[in-house]
Structures are given as C-alpha cells and as structure tokens.
Amino acid sequence: MPTIIEICAANLDSALAAQEGKAHRIELCSALEVGGLTPSAGLVRAAVAALSIPVCVLIRPRAGHFTFQQAEIDLMCDDIRFCRDEGAAGVVIGALTDAFDLDIAALQAMRDAAGEMEVVCHRAFDFVNNPEQALEQLIDLGFHRVLTSGREASVWDGREQVAQYLRQASGRITIMPGSGVTVDNIVALKAATGATE
C-alpha cells in the first residue's frame, strides 16, 4: 500500500509547494510556532480554490491547553461550518476536559458541524489520561484519523506507542504519525510503526 503524505502548511505558498512536491493532502493552519491555530477565512478559501489535493483545516481558536469554554466551542463549530461551505475536505479538531479525558460533548458538536467532511483528532490526543479508551471513543464518534506522536515530543521517540495504537485500531481508524517526521527518518518510522499515512 502506498504511503499517503500530508504536509502542514501555514500559508498559500507552502500549500502550493506541497502540492507541487507531490503531497497527497495538506493540513492548513496558522501560527505553527504555538502548535498551530485556525487559519484565516481568506486563506481557507484561497487554498481550497487553488489546490487539487484535499485540504484539511486545523480548528483551534487559541494557543495553550485544549480545554475549551462553551463560547470557544461555538466559535469552532462556526469555523467548521465555514470550512464545510467552502469545500474543505476535512477539519482537524480536539478538545479535552479538565480531567484530561476527551470532551465528548464538544467533539460531538464539532463532528455534527462537519457533516460529511473528514474529521481528524489532532495531538490533543497525546495528552489524554487513557489513550486506549480515547481511541475507542474517537472510533465511536466516527473520526477518520488521529494525529499522534505517541505521547512524546517527537514521534520517533513515540514510535512504539504509535505502533500499539495501529494494532488497536485494526483498520477502524487511521493512525497518522506526526511531529518530527523528516526526510531522514520517515522510511524508518514507517517500518517501525506500520503506518500508511
């Protein structure tokens, strides 16, 4: 099975370069220096119009922790509906409770706002207390992918945990290694984890 490569792009030039470089999909965001935030409406519209590969949009209204107030959840749902209306292929989301469990109510609201778009859980997943339980919850919610570094700063350090997630997922959801993937380690990372994206 061929490997699907997704590139994180924070501006239109990067998104176009990713497509030119034969990436299969992009995650569109802004402010990578703080882990990524929701890109502007103009950038979303421009990227979807300019690219022939799928555009998945990061939905994260601010830097910091992943526990959101209701007003922030409402804002994220509005951003998701905008992305859906603009023709984005998917959205990348995540939300936790104060106890570091998945915020199921918030995720369900965002999942509903996404409609038929792909829904991906971002690296908030790496901060949950019980990732095995959280993975099953994401499957139950109908998520398509999980982006994870295996609970480490670099996915190379978390590669054994990523491989465990892949075994648990057993094809029910895609596990996508991220954070610290480079030209130098991607082949070894694929071999160590069994990841296909």
Side-chain angles (χ1 to χ4, degrees):
M1 178 181 293
T3 302
I4 293 173
I5 302 294
E6 179 179 293
I7 299 293
C8 194
N11 56 60
L12 188 57
D13 284 346
S14 291
L16 290 167
Q19 178 170 271
E20 181 68 21
K22 306 302 182 189
H24 300 95
R25 182 173 62 226
I26 67 161
E27 179 190 305
L28 191 68
C29 62
S30 66
L32 284 170
E33 66 276 6
V34 295
L37 299 177
T38 307
S40 72
L43 179 55
V44 172
R45 185 176 289 125
V48 170
L51 298 176
S52 59
I53 59 174
V55 176
C56 292
V57 182
L58 177 65
I59 305 295
R60 185 181 176 211
R62 55 155 173 78
H65 59 79
F66 299 108
T67 302
F68 299 106
Q69 302 300 316
Q70 187 59 49
E72 294 174 310
I73 295 166
D74 293 343
L75 173 63
M76 289 189 285
C77 286
D78 282 345
D79 284 339
I80 289 167
R81 284 186 286 267
F82 170 80
C83 292
R84 183 188 67 199
D85 292 345
E86 290 299 318
V91 287
V92 184
I93 62 176
L96 304 179
T97 67
D98 289 331
F100 292 93
D101 297 314
L102 291 180
D103 186 337
I104 299 299
L107 293 173
Q108 184 66 64
M110 289 187 273
R111 178 75 185 84
D112 291 345
E116 297 301 312
M117 285 194 296
E118 289 188 336
V119 182
V120 183
C121 185
H122 57 51
R123 288 185 60 225
F125 177 81
D126 285 326
F127 294 90
V128 297
N129 280 322
N130 187 332
E132 290 77 17
Q133 178 187 56
L135 189 57
E136 296 299 326
Q137 291 172 322
L138 292 172
I139 291 167
D140 290 343
L141 285 167
F143 275 61
H144 296 83
R145 288 188 296 283
V146 180
L147 176 65
T148 178
S149 64
R151 302 168 71 84
E152 299 289 348
S154 166
V155 71
W156 179 252
D157 295 332
R159 63 192 182 279
E160 292 181 7
Q161 185 61 58
V162 172
Q164 174 57 38
Y165 296 153
L166 274 150
R167 287 190 292 271
Q168 179 185 343
S170 189
R172 296 174 296 157
I173 190 171
T174 299
I175 306 297
M176 188 169 63
S179 186
V181 180
T182 69
V183 170
D184 293 328
N185 69 17
I186 190 168
V187 173
L189 186 62
K190 179 181 178 180
T193 62
T196 58
E197 301 197 16

